Amino acid sequence: MNYDYVRDFLIREANCLDEHDWDAWLDMYAKDVTFWVPAWDVDGELTRDPQKEISLMYYARRDGLEDRVFRIRTERSTASTPPPRTAHNISNIQLIEVGGEACAVRFNWLTMSYRFKTVSQFFGTSTYRIVVDHGVPLVKEKKVVLKNDCIHQVLDIYHI
């Protein structure tokens, strides 16, 4: 894995979210992925343990992401009906660790979202562990730090 490969992977994921291509987006995740968005505590520190402290989102396996996508697709998520229009932008991509068929990457992101004549912005940093399984890159760990956590709506997978 090299910088260009990882950058293209991250851009593809962002495009999947913007285009609501949920199957392609889910295919980018390992079955045993951990997907975590920690919360900020009252002291302005991030929570450290998703099992013991509050999180904005936490899925210990891809099944949780699949359930989330099912709710979005079937309009069982009133927070996602109608679906927002989003534009994800990523920057400052940094390979933290590269070894064999795996890497850790950190990057900044900004998502613009439009719904009900209102534009919202979400921004933060993400850290991924990406592994290659049978020639296919998969997200094995995803940690998203939402820096503007005081938001006026429900946060969902397409915002981050």
Side-chain angles (χ1 to χ4, degrees), residues 42-126:
V42 294
D43 297 323
E45 299 292 326
L46 286 172
T47 56
R48 295 184 182 149
D49 187 343
Q51 301 292 336
K52 297 178 181 173
E53 299 174 288
I54 192 165
S55 297
L56 298 176
M57 276 189 237
Y58 178 67
Y59 298 105
R61 298 189 45 81
R62 193 173 91 174
D63 299 356
L65 297 175
E66 292 170 354
D67 180 64
R68 190 70 218 136
V69 165
F70 173 80
R71 290 175 183 274
I72 293 168
R73 277 189 169 143
T74 58
E75 299 183 354
R76 293 182 183 189
S77 168
T78 55
S80 303
T81 307
R85 288 180 245 157
T86 60
H88 289 74
N89 296 286
I90 58 177
S91 64
N92 297 8
I93 300 168
Q94 178 183 19
L95 289 177
I96 300 170
E97 178 185 325
V98 179
E101 296 292 312
C103 76
V105 60
R106 179 193 184 281
F107 60 96
N108 295 333
W109 55 268
L110 166 70
T111 303
M112 302 296 292
S113 176
Y114 178 82
R115 184 168 177 246
F116 296 130
K117 299 180 181 178
T118 302
V119 176
S120 301
Q121 300 177 60
F122 304 87
F123 66 96
T125 59
S126 290

